[in-house]
Amino acid sequence: MDNLIKDIDILPAEEAQACEYKVTAEENTGKSKKLYIESYGCQMNFSDSEIVASIMKENGFDTTATFENADVIFLNTCSIRDKAEQTVRKRLQQFNQIKSSRPDLTIGVLGCMAERLKEKLLEEEQLVDVVVGPDAYRDLPNLVLAAEDGQKGVNTFLSREETYADISPVRLNSNGVSAFISIMRGCDNMCSFCVVPFTRGRERSRDPHSIVKEARELVAKGYKEVTLLGQNVDSYKWSPEENNKARLNKKEGENVQIVNFAGLLEMVAQVNPNLRIRFSTSHPKDITDEVLHTMKRYDNICKYIHLPVQSGNSRVLNLMNRTYDREWYLERVAKIREILGEECGISSDMIAGFCSETEEEHRDTLSLMDQVQYDFSYMFYYSERPGTLAAKKYADDIPLPVKKRRLQEIIEKQNQLSLSRNQLDIGKRQEILIEGVSKRSDDYLKGRNSANKVVIVPKGNLTIGQYVTVKITDCSSATLFGELLS
Ligand code: SAH
Ligand code: SF4
Ligand code: F3S
């Protein structure tokens, strides 16, 4: 394998943290107006943009990949760290320059920053026309119409019921192979550092039948992989009663069945044996043995768990209000290894330099990483968010250079671990799903194995969307390289 092909396709840890965004793809179905959406933040936000595109499509908009061609520009924003908000502010300034020469252009801010700042955004960003929070997207067409008449609008109502279950998302940036399915919205955990409960509202689960229906439709369109999305998928819980639909669904004397996450996983796994299932995010306090056993029972449920630990020290975890300690977390990991074996991929999120974290406590994070042997991590330094429990209760007292140095140590540790975990795969046979062309060379394709690792293979006669068995021949800390086994 030539060096050119190496260290590509997955970004090194530092770069992976840079705020990435996705834009809408070009779609031309003859509608009269054009919508451009730029999405920041997590997979849930990308998934929401597909719902937004669907709502706008019903109201006369095709999507465009070129903002210069757009009648409406939406920024679907993220508030998770200060840097995420700063990136959006800069982008807004660029769009506002265009707007000064094109007053007919409508600019909307959606998502978490819209929810956090509400009317204040209209005051601070004079050229923004509409501000719409994550539960109010059905109101977008009205607000855009009003904006075209010169009326600015804000809707940041947070709902206890909205799941957009009936909306069939327009797949944006799709490779035609993998798609996201939102299974729940909001979050009821109150991790002290986190803004999400304030920007996304209360947790609610989506009707499992609508989820299965969406998975079936994706299979019919040729998709091979779905990722079930929620901030805390293990607390997924649905019953007709709980979701206030008892009147519609329950007959006299009928037992109302509650569907938990393990049950939902099983329902989706049974849609089609050729449809791979992934899910994110699992919460260490909630992940059950039942979920792990369900993963084991179905070959098409990928053996990969994103299980963010945040810190390896129990005092810090307590301050973070994560409601588990180091021992609990390590017991969950031991259970994963016991039920799903060494090959199951495990990844994490880490926060360096949380309020009052000592050097010794920081080293506990490094030692926990060694113990778990993570395949991959998303790593951040603590960024205080206004309104959160930590902002109210604890001083953000770790100096920035110290936060950055601790983060760097965490990143270096993860790079070593990723490399040694990847080396264990060399010589193994693995089934991969081909997702697309390798970024550097058209002669190679990239696929993913069950553990969520990117595998680069020579193109040969392979096609995108195909399952193939490969032998792993080489690796970097970010990527595996394989050859086709006939
Ligand atoms: N629901 C997921 C996380 C969603 S936010 C979970 O509970 O794991 C994604 C990640 O961003 C978090 O896991 C955390 O590592 C990071 N994060 C959240 N708030 C942060 C903050 N204030 N500063 C730095 N990182 C933060
Ligand atoms: Fe934030 Fe915690 Fe909810 Fe994750 S579980 S979204 S970190 S509050
Ligand atoms: Fe960001 Fe909101 Fe997701 S704050 S991480 S876009 S839920």
Side-chain angles (χ1 to χ4, degrees):
M1 180 86 37
D2 58 325
N3 279 332
L4 209 69
I5 311 297
K6 286 200 175 180
D7 44 79
I8 45 166
D9 286 297
I10 280 199
L11 295 167
E14 295 100 304
E15 279 179 59
Q17 291 172 66
C19 198
E20 277 190 83
Y21 65 86
K22 289 190 184 173
V23 303
T24 39
E26 199 77 35
E27 197 191 36
N28 218 330
T29 61
K31 308 261 192 224
S32 59
K33 294 185 194 160
K34 290 274 183 198
L35 165 70
Y36 172 87
I37 313 181
E38 216 167 82
S39 316
Y40 294 79
C42 62
Q43 293 169 332
M44 301 240 28
N45 239 23
F46 299 143
S47 164
D48 278 3
S49 290
E50 300 187 329
I51 288 165
V52 168
S54 173
I55 292 170
M56 296 299 285
K57 193 175 174 181
E58 292 293 305
N59 287 273
F61 284 83
D62 273 334
T63 52
T64 173
T66 327
F67 63 79
E68 289 89 345
N69 297 339
D71 302 283
V72 171
I73 293 180
F74 286 154
L75 263 76
N76 194 1
T77 61
C78 173
S79 288
I80 201 83
R81 285 166 290 275
D82 185 53
K83 208 168 150 203
E85 291 200 355
Q86 297 310 332
T87 312
V88 166
R89 298 250 189 214
K90 279 195 207 116
R91 197 66 176 143
L92 271 176
Q93 280 163 15
Q94 289 167 350
F95 288 141
N96 284 341
Q97 272 171 7
I98 307 168
K99 181 152 166 127
S100 41
S101 61
R102 272 191 52 202
D104 58 316
L105 177 69
T106 301
I107 297 184
V109 177
L110 320 185
C112 291
M113 220 173 138
E115 192 63 50
R116 194 176 85 72
L117 295 165
K118 304 186 168 62
E119 287 79 8
K120 263 202 272 175
L121 251 182
L122 287 187
E123 291 158 24
E124 292 168 17
E125 303 285 347
Q126 300 286 326
L127 292 171
V128 169
D129 302 293
V130 295
V131 174
V132 187
D135 287 345
Y137 295 148
R138 290 182 202 264
D139 200 20
L140 276 170
N142 295 330
L143 291 166
V144 166
L145 265 185
E148 284 168 359
D149 283 342
Q151 247 181 297
K152 298 200 173 208
V154 177
N155 188 345
T156 51
F157 175 74
L158 281 177
S159 159
R160 277 176 170 257
E161 282 99 36
E162 181 63 272
T163 59
Y164 300 110
D166 56 314
I167 293 181
S168 178
V170 170
R171 302 292 163 186
L172 305 170
N173 310 103
S174 172
N175 55 5
V177 178
S178 338
F180 296 131
I181 303 184
S182 282
I183 63 164
M184 57 206 295
R185 299 182 70 81
C187 183
D188 280 354
N189 296 318
M190 275 285 172
C191 301
S192 61
F193 52 79
C194 184
V195 79
V196 172
F198 304 96
T199 61
R200 294 256 158 186
R202 298 303 298 269
E203 181 184 287
R204 66 221 97 118
S205 297
R206 177 177 165 189
D207 182 336
H209 305 100
S210 77
I211 296 169
V212 166
K213 182 167 167 264
E214 193 171 328
R216 287 211 180 101
E217 286 166 2
L218 286 163
V219 170
K221 286 185 190 146
Y223 282 81
K224 296 285 166 53
E225 182 178 272
V226 294
T227 303
L228 309 180
L229 292 181
Q231 292 298 352
N232 178 3
V233 290
D234 301 290
S235 70
Y236 177 90
K237 191 170 167 210
W238 191 90
S239 74
E241 244 165 18
E242 201 168 311
N243 295 62
N244 208 14
K245 301 227 178 69
R247 278 173 299 112
L248 299 177
N249 295 334
K250 196 180 167 194
K251 295 189 197 89
E252 205 57 41
E254 188 184 61
N255 271 342
V256 174
Q257 220 199 327
I258 293 178
V259 179
N260 65 8
F261 183 57
L264 177 72
L265 259 184
E266 179 144 41
M267 286 167 75
V268 181
Q270 286 173 350
V271 163
N272 190 306
N274 283 323
L275 183 71
R276 270 185 170 186
I277 323 295
R278 297 187 183 280
F279 53 88
S280 188
T281 300
S282 303
H283 196 299
K285 82 174 156 65
D286 292 320
I287 189 167
T288 60
D289 294 356
E290 192 191 359
V291 164
L292 303 177
H293 286 297
T294 307
M295 288 175 75
K296 187 173 169 70
R297 264 204 314 282
Y298 287 89
D299 282 345
N300 60 333
I301 304 180
C302 289
K303 306 302 179 273
Y304 165 65
I305 300 175
H306 183 54
L307 195 68
V309 70
Q310 316 296 358
S311 163
N313 175 270
S314 296
R315 187 191 74 90
V316 175
L317 286 170
N318 187 34
L319 290 185
M320 288 177 162
N321 202 24
R322 288 289 287 182
T323 70
Y324 55 84
D325 59 13
R326 181 182 172 105
E327 286 64 41
W328 172 278
Y329 186 90
L330 288 172
E331 187 280 330
R332 289 291 77 201
V333 170
K335 209 58 180 183
I336 293 170
R337 293 280 171 244
E338 179 191 318
I339 296 171
L340 295 168
E342 283 305 316
E343 283 190 25
C344 180
I346 304 181
S347 62
S348 185
D349 295 348
M350 309 287 178
I351 299 180
F354 187 64
C355 314
S356 79
E357 182 191 65
T358 65
E359 284 301 321
E360 199 183 340
E361 288 166 341
H362 160 63
R363 283 196 296 273
D364 284 344
T365 298
L366 299 174
S367 76
L368 178 125
M369 291 172 75
D370 268 330
Q371 256 180 285
V372 177
Q373 295 279 307
Y374 290 113
D375 294 273
F376 187 80
S377 291
Y378 296 95
M379 298 155 282
F380 316 99
Y381 62 77
Y382 174 58
S383 163
E384 186 177 84
R385 307 310 293 133
T388 55
L389 287 178
K392 286 184 193 152
K393 277 168 59 182
Y394 313 122
D396 179 13
D397 54 359
I398 308 299
L400 188 59
V402 176
K403 284 182 181 172
K404 286 189 171 171
R405 193 253 307 144
R406 289 183 189 170
L407 174 61
Q408 196 50 41
E409 287 171 12
I410 290 174
I411 291 171
E412 279 162 21
K413 168 70 68 192
Q414 184 55 57
N415 286 346
Q416 292 160 11
L417 292 176
S418 297
L419 181 63
S420 68
R421 283 285 296 171
N422 283 353
Q423 282 165 343
L424 291 178
D425 284 344
I426 293 178
K428 290 201 174 133
R429 285 167 68 101
Q430 296 185 342
E431 182 177 68
I432 66 168
L433 172 62
I434 304 288
E435 287 178 3
V437 178
S438 167
K439 278 186 197 140
R440 278 281 174 82
S441 163
D442 290 346
D443 297 334
Y444 291 84
L445 296 177
K446 63 171 176 181
R448 225 170 261 270
N449 68 13
S450 178
N452 204 33
K453 291 183 185 173
V454 170
V455 184
I456 306 294
V457 286
K459 190 172 173 191
N461 296 322
L462 302 179
T463 53
I464 292 168
Q466 192 181 349
Y467 286 104
V468 289
T469 306
V470 298
K471 184 176 160 199
I472 304 302
T473 53
D474 199 359
C475 73
S476 69
S477 66
T479 316
L480 300 175
F481 304 94
E483 64 187 26
L484 192 66
L485 289 178
S486 50

